[in-house]
Amino acid sequence: MLRKIEISLLFWVLLGGLVGLFAAPLHQTEPLILNNQTDRYVLGKHLEFLQDPEGQYSFESVRSKAFASLWKKSEWDIPNFGINPEVHWFRFTLQRSDTTQEDYYLEVGNSELFLIEFYQVQPNGSWTLKPQGRKFPFAQREIAAPKFAYRLDLPLDHPKTFYLRVESYVPLYLPLYVSKSTAFWGEIRKEQLLLGIYVGLLLTAALHNFFIWLSIRGRSYLLYVIYVCFLTLFMMSQSGVAYEYLWPDFPLLAQRDTPFFGGVSLVFGLLFARRFLLTHKYAPRMDRVLSIFNWITLLALGSILVFAQDNILPFIIMIGGVLILSTAGIVWKQGYRPARYFFMGWLVLISAAVFLAFQILGWIPYYPWTTNVMLMGSMVEVILLSFALSDRYKAIESEKQALTKTFEKFVPKQFLQRIAADGLEHIPLGKAKTEFITILFSDIRAFSNLAESLTPQEVMDFLNNYLTDMNRPIHNSYGFIDKFIGDAIMGLFDRPAHSAQDAVTAAMGMVQAIQSYNDQQTKQGRAPIQIGIGIHSGEVIMGTVGSEDRMDSTVLGDSVNLASRLEGLTSYYNAQIMISSQTYRLLEDDKLLCRELDFIVVKGKQKPETVFEVFSSDPEFIRSKKQKLLEPYHEGLTHYHSRNWQAAQAAFLKCLSIYPEDVVSQTYLARCRHYEHNPPPNDWDGSFQMEHK
């Protein structure tokens, strides 16, 4: 009988032992052993958690046996409960077995939590509570770090259980780490270095494009700068650095800074996308969709500010990102090349944002390597968007250069440099500038008679060939053509201290070009053409005239009128090139063949002007005869101005004996004969009043 009792007792003892063996792990956490070899531990799978739907549980109650069956084992390295308003309790057990003297720290990787209550149970059964979170000013934290952290009191070789009560209005994910002090501060420095590089890179990109905006006033650059600034604040808020350094004494702001700056970033991202991608031109339907969605984002942003409801932010990010990415793809497909970098940049950012949103929603688990996915994604995006802006700037500059080259066919670039210094789109009406230049006028003699013998198309072909030939010597002599007036040319020379010589050199080149043209005409049995050129140097007004919707560049002033009058008088003197005394005095080439023609008062003016002929480019047989008659010619001029009419006639007769076709000598001979019988007034200054232009 006694033996049966002993066997029965042994059976129940064994049965109780087995039950205890299998039941104990259900309600006790295996301690995480801290050793010498490891400096940083991930607590995720060493955690147990308990959900507190109403937030009513006390610390004593969750430790009681009545709640033992409610605790659940964590299966994630980083627990993620998504958007969940419930209060959550966590517990873990640590046992220190290392021989180092370093302190251990508990690090909470989510810096946006509203309230964290950290409980440490003392050996005598009492416990201490250390609350943290964005509910409190930053200065209340036990350890001044962007993320929440606690110093752990760990006895050697004795397991100790710790508790956390977490209350959050943002999606609840809980990266928890236990680290030795050197590893903890090393991780903090590494994260701050990464964030510093990130912020420095983004602000550099923003500053660079801000200066570009100041230069060209392109609204895309300003929207990019604002977008990058708010994106930087968003990332700083998410990491906790903004709360630590920018508004540490304003917990209410800290509770809403991340969703607020995220929403504002999206608003300006949408505005930037519409402006940069020219959606009104390439994707008008998507332009309206983006505009409507921008208002939706603003309403969502208002709910974040007023009601602290940021649960819809992940959805807003995903939808907005898909819309922007789709629009960029459509615009790129339309052939807008700058959209390629924009598309790639937003593809990277949206991929990172969607990945983060899925984590926040609890659709995919958290991993340690994904901690900085948004940081890296936004960094790459900002760089690619900067490339996109540079690509767009190059495209705009290329278009402007093409437009400028086209525009220069109608308005000389020398004029554009004066009237369009801020770009073709900013040409002001009435902008004027006084400058000293040399003006050249040329015209084909008897062009009307020539045109009557040609068909309209032949006239146009002739003029285009002629004007092309005349443009070359002007261009080669640093001049530019201001206007083509039928067969007439108005050329301007503005090289300081050289304009007179440049104009005369161009005029001689034009005469030589006409001589070559006439040689071909003669061979083909056609009549040669003759041109007259008038040149004057003086001050002019260069600017724009017209109306707001139709304007033209022009040159105004007496100097322009005088040059035009001189060109008109070339046929009177049968001279190819006539220059004013002002131009004559500025000539640099003393080997030029010139002679004084007359002292005249041109029509429309009262002050007489000495005019000269440049005959260096005349045909050789004419040039040599004019050189031979220079001595008697100047002698005749002296007698003419001294009223010695008979002596003057003798001199001019001598000139005509050398060159009988010299119209100038013929003209003076006729005047002397007239004045001999009809003397000019006693106050005559030697000038001759011209009655025609």
Side-chain angles (χ1 to χ4, degrees), residues 425-441:
E425 66 276 14
H426 301 294
I427 299 179
L429 176 64
K431 183 175 182 178
K433 185 178 182 180
T434 301
E435 292 192 37
F436 188 94
I437 64 173
T438 297
I439 309 99
L440 177 152
F441 271 93

Side-chain angles (χ1 to χ4, degrees), residues 10 19 34 58 114 118 131 163 180 185 207 237 276 333 350 356 360 389 431 476 518 562 586 652 670 678:
L10 181 60
V19 170
L34 309 180
S58 65
F114 175 71
F118 179 57
Y163 291 81
K180 295 176 182 177
W185 290 112
L207 191 63
S237 300
F276 177 85
K333 190 176 180 180
I350 298 309
L356 178 63
I360 291 174
L389 282 170
K431 183 175 182 178
N476 292 338
N518 286 337
L562 180 55
L586 294 173
F652 290 124
N678 302 284

Side-chain angles (χ1 to χ4, degrees), residues 321-340:
V322 170
L323 288 175
I324 292 175
L325 195 62
S326 301
T327 305
I330 292 171
V331 173
W332 188 8
K333 190 176 180 180
Q334 293 289 330
Y336 186 57
R337 283 178 55 84
R340 54 182 176 166

Side-chain angles (χ1 to χ4, degrees), residues 49-58 62 81 84-90 114-117 119 164-169 172:
F49 65 91
L50 184 152
Q51 292 176 300
D52 184 358
E54 304 297 330
Q56 301 294 327
Y57 299 159
S58 65
V62 298
F81 299 91
N84 192 329
E86 296 180 355
V87 173
H88 287 72
W89 289 84
F90 299 88
F114 175 71
L115 175 63
I116 305 173
E117 294 179 344
Y119 296 86
L164 285 172
R165 180 181 182 275
V166 179
E167 186 176 339
S168 176
Y169 296 122
L172 177 59

Side-chain angles (χ1 to χ4, degrees), residues 575-643:
Q576 295 190 96
I577 302 173
M578 280 182 62
I579 65 175
S580 66
S581 58
Q582 181 80 329
T583 301
Y584 180 78
R585 287 193 294 269
L586 294 173
L587 291 177
E588 305 164 57
D589 187 358
D590 54 4
K591 295 182 180 180
L592 283 174
L593 300 178
C594 303
R595 65 170 172 170
E596 181 181 335
L597 284 180
D598 210 342
F599 187 54
I600 58 175
V601 179
V602 299
K603 190 171 183 178
K605 295 192 70 175
Q606 296 180 347
K607 185 179 178 181
E609 174 74 27
T610 302
V611 294
F612 296 81
E613 176 192 22
V614 178
F615 59 91
S616 295
S617 55
D618 283 6
E620 172 61 29
F621 72 96
I622 297 177
R623 185 170 65 247
S624 62
K625 290 181 179 180
K626 286 183 179 180
Q627 282 183 286
K628 290 179 181 178
L629 62 76
L630 282 180
E631 185 176 346
Y633 177 78
H634 287 119
E635 182 182 342
L637 282 181
T638 302
H639 292 308
Y640 173 78
H641 288 291
S642 302
R643 295 172 175 251

Side-chain angles (χ1 to χ4, degrees), residues 111-112 134 146 195-196 198-200 203 229-247 257-258 261 375:
S111 64
E112 300 179 73
R134 294 209 178 188
L195 188 64
Y198 173 84
V199 172
L203 292 183
C229 289
F230 278 110
L231 181 63
T232 304
L233 287 172
F234 169 69
M235 298 306 301
M236 291 178 66
S237 300
Q238 192 178 54
S239 66
V241 173
Y243 189 28
E244 179 179 5
Y245 293 105
L246 300 182
W247 39 82
D257 56 0
T258 301
F261 291 124
L375 197 72

Side-chain angles (χ1 to χ4, degrees), residues 286-304:
M286 292 304 297
D287 181 69
R288 290 190 291 271
V289 171
L290 292 179
S291 177
I292 294 171
F293 191 78
N294 216 345
W295 285 105
I296 295 174
T297 306
L298 287 172
L299 291 175
L301 186 60
S303 70
I304 291 172

